[in-house]
Amino acid sequence: MKEALVLVQRLSAHPDSRCWYVSWSPSGTLLASCGGDKTIRIWGREGDSWVCKSVLEDGHQRTVRKVGWSPCGNYLASASFDATTSIWKKKNDGFESLTVLEGHENEVKCVAWAPSGNLLATCSRDKSVWIWEVDEEDEYECVTVMNSHTQDVKHVVWHPTQELLASASYDNNICIYKEEDDDWECRATLQGHTSTVWSLSFDPSGQRLASCSDDRTVKIWKESPNEGQDLSWKCVCTLSGYHGRAVYDIAWCRLTGALATACSDDAVRVFKEDEASDPNQPVFSLAAHMAKAHSQDVNCVAWNPKEAGLMASCSDSGDIAIWRFQED
């Protein structure tokens, strides 16, 4: 069985700056990218190629670190080093700036929508995680501020079906939050990485969480039954020896279960779970390795939500690569 990553197209997305993040719209028809040039670009397919459909400018004063789509696909949120989160609304062929969320003391590192579309999470170098509530009038209100990390919070991600939130930090830990009696609290702290945890991704069912770190490893965590109030997540697998440097991003494909990583050794890798392996002790094998996926650090990998095997990655070189993961 031969698996390969085939380059579909390379896009000069944010020339002369870093491209930090790429995010597919829920329909898989649009790709949003953001970068050190303070802009967000929206890419769409025309014929066989991907082209820039619109550029969202003037929303931020500094680097745009991450972007996230609402589940309905009509809104885009952007997190910036200028300490704000901008909300953009789809209008005709483009996007208009709807509102700006302020409150973090410094750089906002990530933004993510809950599956319901009614909640938004942001995290920052100020060590906090904020949850915002969205109403029908597009009004955003901060409902909770959580200070469970002792350092810069790098990433937030929601469970695919539940209102459960996970965050990753420079303090080497992962926190899992859940609302109980109108109060959001950290219900579990996942410890095991020996350096910064850069990113997180739930598996399609939400029963497992993958994390990647500056310690060059990927860990798979699984929820385990627990009697008390707190949740219990245990590390059931560690992928080590594959990555030459820090692992900046991880993406678990909702369609195929393939796990992709973005690494500062300029490579993109795809891992597949062995079909015969025990879910409580999973075994993952390296299925594809593109050594020079980009000329510099790879910052992000993202699987298309509708088209199996289609993946985007982006780099410090400012470019985006569109890949097809092929299983022969």
Side-chain angles (χ1 to χ4, degrees):
M1 179 141 149
K2 185 179 171 292
E3 283 112 341
L5 274 175
V6 179
L7 182 67
V8 176
Q9 193 181 348
R10 202 175 283 279
L11 309 165
S12 176
H14 299 264
D16 305 321
S17 77
R18 290 177 170 150
C19 182
W20 277 113
Y21 206 71
V22 284
S23 177
W24 295 100
S25 63
S27 64
T29 54
L30 297 174
L31 181 73
S33 67
C34 60
D37 58 4
K38 310 172 196 171
T39 69
I40 299 152
R41 289 175 191 269
I42 310 292
W43 307 83
R45 212 184 233 148
E46 282 187 8
D48 291 336
S49 59
W50 293 85
V51 297
C52 183
K53 296 281 196 183
S54 49
V55 182
L56 313 189
E57 297 176 289
D58 308 324
H60 292 289
Q61 309 298 310
R62 291 180 63 194
T63 289
V64 184
R65 184 63 178 88
K66 283 182 186 160
V67 282
W69 295 87
S70 63
C72 65
N74 292 327
Y75 301 87
L76 188 69
S78 54
S80 169
F81 285 4
D82 66 11
T84 72
T85 302
S86 283
I87 309 293
W88 309 80
K89 188 175 185 176
K90 222 177 200 173
K91 192 182 181 187
N92 305 327
D93 288 345
F95 286 80
E96 62 176 0
S97 176
L98 185 68
T99 187
V100 177
L101 309 182
E102 297 178 335
H104 281 292
E105 288 172 30
N106 40 41
E107 292 96 321
V108 185
K109 294 297 179 75
C110 187
V111 59
W113 300 81
S116 65
N118 300 330
L119 295 171
L120 188 75
T122 58
C123 65
S124 164
R125 193 164 73 90
D126 66 14
K127 309 174 191 173
S128 70
V129 172
W130 291 39
I131 294 179
W132 308 77
E133 213 165 55
V134 193
D135 66 18
E136 276 91 53
E137 276 78 57
D138 288 339
E139 295 287 331
Y140 290 74
E141 182 194 2
C142 175
V143 289
T144 192
V145 174
M146 294 173 292
N147 293 292
S148 301
H149 289 290
T150 58
Q151 298 288 338
D152 181 359
V153 189
K154 301 290 187 187
H155 197 77
V156 280
V157 64
W158 291 91
H159 185 284
T161 55
Q162 301 172 26
E163 293 200 334
L164 186 83
L165 181 72
S167 63
S169 169
Y170 188 66
D171 66 10
N172 310 353
N173 292 343
I174 299 158
C175 287
I176 309 269
Y177 311 88
K178 202 172 181 182
E179 191 180 23
E180 204 76 50
D181 304 326
D182 284 346
D183 211 15
W184 283 88
E185 279 180 21
C186 175
R187 302 279 166 198
T189 303
L190 284 47
Q191 295 178 312
H193 283 295
T194 56
S195 190
T196 301
V197 186
W198 282 106
S199 191
L200 304 164
S201 183
F202 280 99
D203 77 353
S205 70
Q207 290 171 339
R208 296 181 298 175
L209 179 70
S211 60
C212 64
S213 167
D214 220 67
D215 67 14
R216 307 180 184 187
T217 71
V218 166
K219 286 184 182 291
I220 310 292
W221 309 80
K222 188 172 185 290
E223 192 174 6
S224 57
N226 198 19
E227 298 295 309
Q229 279 277 305
D230 284 344
L231 304 169
S232 177
W233 288 73
K234 291 188 168 59
C235 179
V236 291
C237 176
T238 300
L239 300 178
S240 57
Y242 294 102
H243 299 89
R245 295 179 67 183
V247 191
Y248 285 143
D249 196 28
I250 188 153
W252 213 321
C253 181
R254 298 271 164 96
L255 303 174
T256 66
L259 200 58
T261 60
C263 186
S264 62
D265 64 7
D266 310 341
V268 169
R269 294 170 178 84
V270 179
F271 298 86
K272 287 284 288 196
E273 187 171 357
D274 295 4
E275 285 173 22
S277 75
D278 175 357
N280 293 311
Q281 291 176 302
V283 177
F284 285 81
S285 306
L286 184 65
H289 175 201
M290 184 58 70
K292 277 282 171 195
H294 293 273
S295 60
Q296 294 180 48
D297 293 11
V298 188
N299 293 319
C300 176
V301 279
W303 292 105
N304 186 289
K306 298 293 183 197
E307 197 176 324
L310 191 66
M311 182 174 74
S313 62
C314 68
S315 167
D316 276 4
S317 56
D319 67 344
I320 294 171
I322 310 283
W323 307 92
R324 194 168 294 288
F325 173 56
Q326 293 180 330
E327 301 180 69
D328 295 341

